[in-house]
Structure formats: C-alpha cells, structure tokens
Amino acid sequence: MGRWITLTVNGSKRRVEVKDNEILLDVLRDKLKVKSVKAACWRGECGLCSILLNGKLVKSCLVLAVEVDGSEILTVEGLARDGELAPIQRSFIEHGALQCGFCTPAFVLASHKLLEENPSASEDEIKESLSGIVCRCGTYYEIIEAIKDASKHYQVRKKV
Amino acid sequence: MIPRIEYYKFENLSEALSYLRNNPDSKIIAGGTDLIIQLRSKKINARKLLDISRINELKYIQDGSEYFRIGALVTIEELKKSKVIKDYAQPLWRAVNNFAVWQVRNTATIGGNICNASPAADTVPPLIVLEAKLKLQNIERVREVKIEEFFKGPGETIIERDEILTEIVIPKKNSLWRYSFIKLGRRHSHILSIVNVAVGLKMNNTKIEDAIIALGSVAPTPVRAKNVEEYLRERQATSKLIDEASREVVKDIKPISDVRASAEYRVEMSKLLVKKALNECLDIMK
Ligand SMILES: Cc1cc2nc3c(=O)[nH]c(=O)nc-3n(C[C@H](O)[C@H](O)[C@H](O)COP(=O)(O)OP(=O)(O)OC[C@H]3O[C@@H](n4cnc5c(N)ncnc54)[C@H](O)[C@@H]3O)c2cc1C
Ligand code: FES
Ligand code: FES
C-alpha cells in the first residue's frame, strides 16, 4: 500500500507510512500530530502551513510527503530550548502580536528564520520576507514591532 | 489529498531519462509549486510522477567567457542571491526580485517556471530579451532551442515526453546593451503578473541600433513586440519616438480578459509599460 518514510521532526526521528499522493501538510497534522502547522487554503496562498524543511522556509501544502523522505523539519514546537521560549516567541507575547492566534506559528517560525539569517533586517526586508503569510485579524503592525524588538537578541547570538 | 499517483525519484540524470523513455505517461515534478496545485484542482491528470528535484547535476550557475549557464533546478531564491545573474542578466535578476514570496522562491525552479508555460511566467520575457536557449535532453541526445520557439500555448510547449529541460544558456552580449524589466501585478510580487515587460536596447550614443522587447500575460504565450522593435531600430532615441513606438505594441499582443484583468486594461497597460520600460532603459544610460 503505502511506503515508510523517515523524518526528523523537531529533533526526533519519526517513521510514518504514507501514500504517494499524500501532502506533507496533512501527514504532519494528521499522522504526526504536529498541530502548529495550520491548513487553510491548500494552494500556496495563505502561508499558514509554513515549515522549515532542511533549514529552508517552505509551504508544506505544496510538497508531497514522499518527496522529503530523510529530511529535517522544524516547526514552532521545536523553537524552545530547555523549556525556554526563543526570543522571538517572547517578543510576540510581549507585543501582543496576535488576536486569534491562527497565523502565529507561521509568523513566529518565519521571523525566527529571517532573524537568524539577517539579524539586522530592515522594516522593508521584514515585510518582504513575511509577505507570504496572511493574518486575517490584521495584527501586522504588532508582528513587525515584535520582530524589530527581538532582532537585538539575534544580533548578540550571531556575534558569539 | 491529490488524486492517486505513483511516485518515482532518481538522483542522477541518466537514470531519470531512461525511466522517462520507458514511462512516457509520467509527469515531471521539480519544485512542485505549480504542479501540486494543478494536480489538486485536476487541471492536470497524471498517473505517474517523476521527481527530478534531487538531481544535483542540474543545480549550478556557471560563468563562462561567452555564455553563462543555469541548471534547470536552480531555485528562484538562488538566482536572486546570485552575483553572476545580477551582473550579467539584469532583467532576469529584476524578475526574480519581484517573484512570488520567500517560501515559494525557496522551492520554485527556473526550469519549472519555463516548462509550466504560463503566459504570465516572470522569468520568460527577460530570458527572451537575453536571447536564451534551452537545452532539451533525452536518453540519446541533447537539442538546443531558442526560448521564444519553445511555447505553443498556455501550458503547452514543444518538449517531447521523453525529454527533460536541463539547462538555460545565456550569451554574454557586448556592453552596449541596456535592459529593463517591469511587472504589473495586483500586489507587488505575491501574485501572477497582469502584464510583464522586458526590454533590451543596443545603443550607439543616442541612436538605437537594435531592440528586443518581450511581454507576458498579453497573449497565449509570452510574445516578442516585433512591431515596436522595428519602429525603434536605427532611430534616434527621442521621447517622441518612444511614445510612438510604444503604441505599436497593440499590433503584437492578443490579450484576453480573466480574473486578474480585462483585455482592454491589458492593452492600455502594455502601451504604458513598454513606454516606461523603454524610458527606464534609456535613463540607465544617462
Ligand atoms: C503563492 C505563489 C506565488 C507565485 N508567484 C509567481 C510569480 O510571481 N511569478 C511567476 O512567474 N510564477 C509564480 N508562481 C508560479 C510558480 O511558483 C513558478 O512557475 C515556479 O517557477 C514553478 O517551478 P517549480 O519548480 O515549482 O515547477 P513544478 O511545479 O515542479 O513544475 C511545473 C511544470 O514544469 C514541468 N517541469 C518542471 N521542471 C522541468 C524540467 N526540468 N524539464 C521538463 N519539465 C519540467 C512540470 O512537469 C510541470 O508541468 C507562484 C506560485 C505560487 C504558489
Ligand atoms: S495551506 Fe499552504 S499556503 Fe495555505
Ligand atoms: S491573529 Fe488571527 S489570523 Fe493572525
């Protein structure tokens, strides 16, 4: 029937049986129970299904599970270290950068990746990098403030 | 879930090509950013998928003395970060800087953008203007075709069922050529182009020696604006000439109305964007 693939999800190895036509997004949510990854449009438009796949930000609704056998996946569940939230997570809380919270995991993950790559990202660069994620509650202003504020922690990290 | 398919993956080109020869009913998947959506909406029916995304021999940007070469699996994000592209393929570089969103650019390939054959594909007008050629390879041979001859209609190309697009070859032209690219979309880059225009002008002081102009989204395939080019050739670059030449574009295009814009709007915008792109090109020279 299906075939077994191995994924490293947030640091732990997971084996899962998938069919050739199964979408990674559905496997993550329904089979591996990684529920921070949201499904809304299934057609590459909302960005809520964003994950880090082998270190690159991608939309998991545009990927087949069989394509990524052997890959590493990071979602927002994997950001905290030893029970401590990542600076970007704390900053989202401090700035109240959410209302319903549905878009939050995607924004947190994308901004974490952005700041790791470019801790001194300008406001324009922040906006461009996040333009693939939709917030229906319209909390963009707070999100951008949260990212600008968190950036200092990533600058420090990059120096050491 | 998408309809049932059988999935095959090869990590080297010759294995993929011999698989394709024996399984001509297979659909190729590279980044999947067009294909997965088309499979889901049943716009495309495929029984078998050939995943070429792990073929590392098709991931390179090679800078030679007369040509530079781009492997078909290079992603849009990699093009965006490439100094070679920035230095030698200005209009392409402009196009990839206004392309989709980060997540999509990370997986979308240049080969997929071309082979998907959308009339709106953003890399195509720049590649036409740069006089790019495409290498199409099957198990026995490689052939080279001009990119403008590649497209037959929306989603249709001259590629054979046993062929893979392996490389995009761009000649390095002399420094008298100047380029520009403009994309009009409903949002800056998120969305498919309503009209896109690439322009190349070969200048001798203020005289236009040669011109190549290509537009997307205004006909069933990306098109050359040959009437505009003809109007410009061997003439002095004055603002009157640019005005008149831009209007000629209506003879080169056959736009339709769709969800993104009406045909009338596209006609007006084509004139305006050609004019703007020509002026931008001339401005760079000042
Ligand atoms: C949110 C979003 C925004 C987008 N924005 C833009 C945009 O701004 N501009 C734009 O132009 N496009 C845009 N696109 C469309 C798409 O991302 C691009 O066309 C992309 O370059 C396709 O590449 P891919 O590798 O994902 O192709 P795939 O989906 O893997 O393949 C596309 C087609 O090409 C064929 N194919 C792929 N590679 C080869 C090859 N080497 N040889 C032979 N056949 C091949 C496949 O069989 C398929 O028919 C967008 C898509 C999304 C989802
Ligand atoms: S569910 Fe993937 S982009 Fe909307
Ligand atoms: S907080 Fe509700 S969608 Fe963004």
Side-chain angles (χ1 to χ4, degrees):
Chain A
M1 272 298 290
R3 61 174 100 198
W4 287 88
I5 63 169
T6 308
L7 301 172
T8 306
V9 183
N10 296 322
S12 51
K13 267 218 159 67
R14 309 280 296 268
R15 267 169 60 74
V16 57
E17 191 181 9
V18 299
K19 294 198 201 85
D20 282 5
N21 59 343
E22 268 183 285
I23 299 289
L24 180 58
L25 167 60
D26 300 327
V27 171
L28 284 171
R29 282 188 59 83
D30 301 340
K31 293 195 166 158
L32 298 173
K33 308 291 175 202
V34 184
K35 298 287 189 182
S36 74
V37 185
K38 302 298 182 205
C41 73
W42 276 282
R43 46 175 301 132
E45 275 164 18
C46 69
L48 300 177
C49 65
S50 297
I51 58 166
L52 284 171
L53 178 65
N54 299 321
K56 282 187 184 160
L57 194 72
V58 306
K59 298 187 174 182
S60 61
C61 69
L62 299 179
V63 181
L64 293 172
V66 279
E67 282 181 82
V68 301
D69 186 14
S71 297
E72 277 190 30
I73 290 170
L74 187 72
T75 67
V76 81
E77 285 91 339
L79 283 188
R81 286 273 165 274
D82 308 322
E84 261 226 24
L85 293 180
I88 188 70
Q89 292 174 299
R90 285 201 309 271
S91 194
F92 265 65
I93 296 171
E94 281 157 18
H95 286 266
L98 60 141
Q99 273 188 42
C100 76
F102 199 67
C103 68
T104 313
F107 272 112
V108 168
L109 194 69
S111 35
H112 174 76
K113 176 68 188 170
L114 170 68
L115 292 178
E116 264 192 350
E117 260 181 30
N118 180 8
S120 49
S122 67
E123 183 158 334
D124 280 349
E125 286 168 328
I126 295 174
K127 285 183 184 167
E128 203 290 317
S129 306
L130 300 182
S131 64
I133 310 171
V134 173
C135 172
R136 295 306 297 262
C137 301
T139 56
Y140 298 108
Y141 176 80
E142 287 79 7
I143 290 173
I144 290 164
E145 290 304 304
I147 297 169
K148 285 199 280 191
D149 200 18
S151 64
K152 54 182 185 278
H153 299 284
Y154 290 79
Q155 283 157 15
V156 176
R157 269 215 239 165
K158 198 135 198 178
K159 270 181 215 142
V160 291
Chain B
M1 221 184 273
I2 60 171
R4 250 183 65 190
I5 36 138
E6 285 166 40
Y7 171 89
Y8 300 88
K9 170 162 73 190
F10 297 96
E11 297 188 4
N12 78 56
L13 182 60
S14 56
E15 275 175 25
L17 287 171
S18 65
Y19 164 85
L20 206 52
R21 166 61 56 86
N22 297 322
N23 298 272
D25 52 340
S26 283
K27 191 80 192 149
I28 292 170
I29 180 166
T33 60
D34 280 315
L35 191 65
I36 296 285
I37 297 171
Q38 291 160 355
L39 289 170
R40 180 183 289 285
S41 65
K42 305 199 172 65
K43 228 178 105 185
I44 280 187
N45 289 310
R47 293 266 324 286
K48 297 176 184 162
L49 278 189
L50 166 62
D51 184 355
I52 60 170
S53 66
R54 300 283 176 95
I55 303 181
N56 289 331
E57 40 190 316
L58 298 182
K59 300 176 186 175
Y60 56 86
I61 301 174
Q62 207 183 73
D63 187 7
S65 55
E66 286 174 57
Y67 297 94
F68 64 94
R69 301 164 188 281
I70 305 173
L73 289 179
V74 172
T75 65
I76 303 298
E77 188 69 14
E78 285 160 354
L79 292 173
K80 189 171 179 244
K81 291 193 172 135
S82 159
K83 191 163 155 26
V84 182
I85 300 299
K86 190 176 179 197
D87 290 348
Y88 294 107
Q90 260 296 316
L92 179 61
W93 192 72
R94 294 271 294 275
V96 297
N97 273 278
N98 286 286
F99 193 109
V101 295
W102 192 17
Q103 292 93 328
V104 174
R105 288 193 304 268
N106 272 334
T107 32
T109 64
I110 184 167
N113 194 236
I114 298 168
C115 292
N116 189 55
S118 156
D122 279 322
T123 66
V124 174
L127 289 170
I128 292 177
V129 162
L130 291 166
E131 300 187 87
K133 288 189 176 155
L134 305 179
K135 271 197 181 168
L136 307 176
Q137 192 164 342
N138 71 16
I139 191 73
E140 283 123 20
R141 51 124 184 93
V142 187
R143 60 173 174 144
E144 255 187 37
V145 298
K146 285 189 185 163
I147 187 164
E148 331 173 22
E149 289 161 9
F150 185 66
F151 304 101
K152 290 203 296 197
E156 280 176 49
T157 72
I158 60 161
I159 201 164
E160 304 281 343
R161 303 212 69 133
D162 65 350
E163 285 177 322
I164 292 179
L165 166 63
T166 51
E167 186 178 271
I168 297 99
V169 188
I170 303 179
K172 282 191 171 169
K173 293 209 271 185
N174 80 32
S175 57
L176 299 174
W177 282 91
R178 294 290 179 271
Y179 300 101
S180 60
F181 171 81
I182 300 180
K183 164 177 181 169
L184 175 72
R186 218 150 37 89
R187 276 215 275 160
H188 179 53
S189 59
H190 199 161
I191 215 98
L192 293 181
S193 292
I194 292 172
V195 179
N196 52 19
V197 179
V199 164
L201 293 178
K202 187 182 181 197
M203 299 300 297
N204 186 350
N205 290 318
T206 54
K207 196 173 115 197
I208 299 172
E209 283 199 338
D210 200 359
I212 306 183
I213 298 166
L215 290 93
S217 263
V218 290
T221 66
V223 287
R224 284 263 305 257
K226 295 210 166 156
N227 285 288
V228 184
E229 294 173 7
E230 204 42 53
Y231 206 91
L232 292 168
R233 248 174 233 133
E234 302 290 339
R235 308 272 294 266
Q236 288 295 323
T238 62
S239 56
K240 184 163 169 282
L241 179 77
I242 302 296
D243 273 357
E244 292 168 359
S246 316
R247 280 184 235 131
E248 293 288 298
V249 76
V250 296
K251 298 180 189 161
D252 294 306
I253 61 179
K254 277 195 232 75
I256 53 160
S257 297
D258 64 13
V259 290
R260 283 174 284 141
S262 69
E264 294 79 0
Y265 180 70
R266 285 198 163 98
V267 169
E268 288 311 311
M269 290 320 286
S270 298
K271 290 192 258 181
L272 194 73
L273 290 188
V274 168
K275 181 171 153 183
K276 220 173 137 187
L278 286 169
N279 278 326
E280 237 178 63
C281 225
L282 294 167
D283 267 354
I284 311 173
M285 295 181 310
K286 278 183 188 151

